[in-house]
Amino acid sequence: MLQLNYSFKSNLVCNLAASHTLLNCLIKEFALPMGLCRYEWPTEISGIPIGVFFNGKLIEGVPLHIQMPNQQEFFILVDRKDCLGAQYYLSDIYTRKLEKKWQYLDFEDFVQVLLECCSAITGHHNQELMDQIYASRALKKQIHHFAQQHNQNSLENYALSEQALWFGHPTHPAPKARLWSTQQQDHFSPEFAIPTSLHQFEVCKNGLYIRANDDLTDTDILQQMAEQPTNPETVIICLHPVQAQLFLQDARVQAYIKQGEIKDLGCMGEKFVPTASLRTWYSTQNNFFIKGSLHVRITNCVRKNAWYELESTLLIDQILKKLYTTQVETLGGFQPIAEPAVLSWAPVNASMEDQLWFQEQTGTIFRENFCKTEGEKNCLLAGTVFGRSHDLSPNILPFLQSHLSRELQDQDLLSWFDQYQSLLLKPVLSLFYQHGIVMEPHLQNSILVHRDAFPVKVLLRDFEGVKLTSDLGIHSLQGQEIHPRVKQSMEYSREKGWKRICYCLFVNNLSEAILALTWQRPTLAPQMWQFVYAELEQFRHSISIPTPEIDALLAGAAIHCKTNFKVRLAGNADRDAGYVQLASPWGI
């Protein structure tokens, strides 16, 4: 009976979580920008219970009625009217079409209806996306069952925070879809907290490619991966276990194994834990995180380390370190998390095409282990801080309450958020305006450093994704011989860079922080947005160069929102994602 209850609850919660992320996509990418939302009861409510009940309780809330162009309608009660589409859902979802009776649909039927009405708008239908949605929901059920059984404090330390992003990206249609080959490989997912040895290969040293800043030697880097052989002609490199299986299936690899140029050692050596990105591995002992290539689609992208991304990572590391050393006063408190080394391997006698293939299979980035300086208990993944526990309530509130000797008050939440948003905004805006550097400050790239739960620093990671604006940032590369493909991968127009920053800061990060902090206190949200407004004003007045994008925001200009759902509906790569415009939280 206990197992049955667990299964029933997991199914219920995971259907809700999956439905809510799909609703987030529908509302942010279609309903709000197209003016399809009405915050009022439909004129005909036949089929919606009189007094909506949820979990056995009578729900009072704000009615949200969505009318799609194909005459499909959706209705749900929410806790607030939010211009960025960040709200809690308080009731079941009801649908109808052509004025038929409202009805509650099971998850599979809801997915079918939602995809049909969105495909009717875009003209795109992607069966793979439906498969990904179901795969994501299935893995959520496994994860939820695990979380219920173990009931860990996900904000106790850094490693646990990386392993407790139970429901994933809140505005992606299939956040837990991991398209590796078998379900048995799901145990490499971070949520199951299974320490794992990486898959080791002994290879000929003459095919090794290592580049490093900070006077790091090849030996320094290789020792972070594995204990090295005594044979001076070979080295040991590591791959993600899933990547290793893909690697070993290739005929070219099998041929080199037969020739003795590659020796398959299997999974062995030091234990690491996978972080929320899946391909980045963490050990408390190591000086570096190990970020390997993973030729598997995770949300929007195949997570491989392209050769040009290895090069761009080192260049960004150099630029940021130089700025931190020589112009720290222009960085708004930004502190770089070093990514000082990269590695790849390819057989020296392979063709140019095959060498490139091997380099992208084995490409590895080494990132500074910031927990060694900041303290593992003080560092938390922001995505988990503002994410949901296994019962869909916010993680952050019990975390804050546990550090207070009294009941959590409105003013505690307001003060906490004010500090957080300032620590996040100043570095990102300073880098953009002063140096033309475009960070990607979304929740999974942001690390909250706290003291007794109060924010003291926000660290931003992932240099391979940092871009340089064509009007300013790209000039920092002058005088260097850089491959055109590397430069192309790093360069963004100013407009494109700002759209990325705008989405990451306001939609992905701050709106989710506000939503988590205002659980059952939605009236606090406008006050928190006013803190952001004041921070933008203060930044504009503190800087002596023009800030037209901030001027527009302060005047009520629209907020850019990335279309994670639309790009997957079209079956396109993440780089092809566009943006829609959402009303500003400060607009009239």
Side-chain angles (χ1 to χ4, degrees), residues 122-383:
T122 65
H124 297 296
H125 177 78
N126 181 8
Q127 179 59 43
E128 182 189 45
L129 175 58
M130 185 174 290
D131 297 338
Q132 290 172 352
I133 290 170
Y134 294 148
S136 177
R137 192 269 306 263
L139 184 55
K140 282 180 182 179
K141 288 168 69 173
Q142 294 181 48
I143 291 169
H144 184 264
H145 182 66
F146 174 87
Q148 278 188 298
Q149 287 183 313
H150 291 79
N151 197 27
Q152 294 174 321
N153 176 5
S154 59
L155 301 183
E156 183 180 338
N157 59 44
Y158 174 73
L160 288 174
S161 75
E162 286 279 4
Q163 297 165 351
L165 203 59
W166 306 125
F167 303 108
H169 194 315
T171 53
H172 190 281
K176 291 297 178 184
R178 291 155 189 182
L179 301 186
W180 36 49
S181 58
T182 68
Q183 284 191 338
Q184 286 73 28
Q185 292 176 327
D186 283 340
H187 74 270
F188 293 118
S189 295
E191 298 86 359
F192 300 115
I194 301 173
T196 305
S197 295
L198 302 184
H199 197 116
Q200 296 187 1
F201 293 91
E202 189 170 354
V203 296
C204 294
K205 188 174 185 179
N206 59 4
L208 186 66
Y209 174 88
I210 294 183
R211 293 292 182 272
N213 301 326
D214 299 345
D215 299 323
L216 290 166
T217 67
D218 291 3
T219 301
D220 294 333
I221 300 305
L222 288 166
Q223 289 291 350
Q224 294 295 308
M225 287 196 115
E227 186 175 345
Q228 294 300 308
T230 55
N231 182 355
E233 302 300 320
T234 64
V235 295
I236 292 176
I237 62 173
C238 296
L239 300 187
H240 188 295
V242 173
Q243 178 71 6
Q245 295 308 309
L246 298 173
F247 186 65
L248 287 166
Q249 291 168 17
D250 191 271
R252 289 164 288 190
V253 175
Q254 294 168 8
Y256 280 111
I257 289 175
K258 287 180 181 178
Q259 296 169 21
E261 190 156 349
I262 299 175
K263 185 177 181 181
D264 177 14
L265 303 179
C267 289
M268 61 182 295
E270 181 181 355
K271 300 282 189 181
F272 292 82
V273 293
T275 61
S277 74
L278 276 79
R279 60 179 172 141
T280 305
W281 297 83
Y282 168 69
S283 165
T284 55
Q285 288 77 35
N286 256 37
N287 293 328
F288 298 103
F289 292 83
I290 296 177
K291 184 177 184 178
S293 220
L294 185 57
H295 285 55
V296 173
R297 183 177 297 283
I298 308 296
T299 59
N300 283 347
C301 301
V302 175
R303 304 291 169 165
K304 70 177 183 179
N305 284 333
W307 68 269
Y308 51 84
E309 291 174 323
L310 300 186
E311 299 297 320
S312 67
T313 295
L314 285 185
L315 289 169
I316 295 298
D317 184 73
Q318 292 168 8
I319 292 168
L320 292 176
K321 280 177 182 165
K322 183 178 179 181
L323 289 175
Y324 191 69
T325 303
T326 62
Q327 300 182 55
V328 68
E329 71 281 356
T330 67
L331 304 184
F334 173 77
Q335 178 180 317
I337 301 173
E339 296 192 8
V342 299
L343 173 154
S344 64
W345 180 85
V348 293
N349 61 349
S351 67
M352 290 295 292
E353 181 181 352
D354 284 353
Q355 283 196 359
L356 179 62
W357 182 86
F358 275 96
Q359 288 166 4
E360 294 197 336
Q361 293 287 313
T362 60
T364 306
I365 296 170
F366 295 83
R367 177 185 296 149
E368 171 193 357
N369 182 353
F370 46 80
C371 291
K372 289 206 165 194
T373 53
E374 301 292 348
E376 189 181 21
K377 282 190 171 292
N378 300 324
C379 299
L380 299 171
L381 178 67

Side-chain angles (χ1 to χ4, degrees), residues 28-51:
K28 290 174 186 288
E29 298 187 29
F30 290 92
L32 283 175
M34 295 176 67
L36 306 177
C37 290
R38 299 288 182 272
Y39 290 92
E40 57 191 27
W41 287 87
T43 53
E44 174 57 57
I45 62 170
S46 177
I48 300 174
I50 299 174

Side-chain angles (χ1 to χ4, degrees), residues 369-400:
N369 182 353
F370 46 80
C371 291
K372 289 206 165 194
T373 53
E374 301 292 348
E376 189 181 21
K377 282 190 171 292
N378 300 324
C379 299
L380 299 171
L381 178 67
T384 302
V385 173
F386 304 122
R388 305 291 174 264
S389 68
H390 56 76
D391 66 356
L392 296 181
S393 64
N395 291 320
I396 189 170
L397 298 183
F399 170 67
L400 297 183

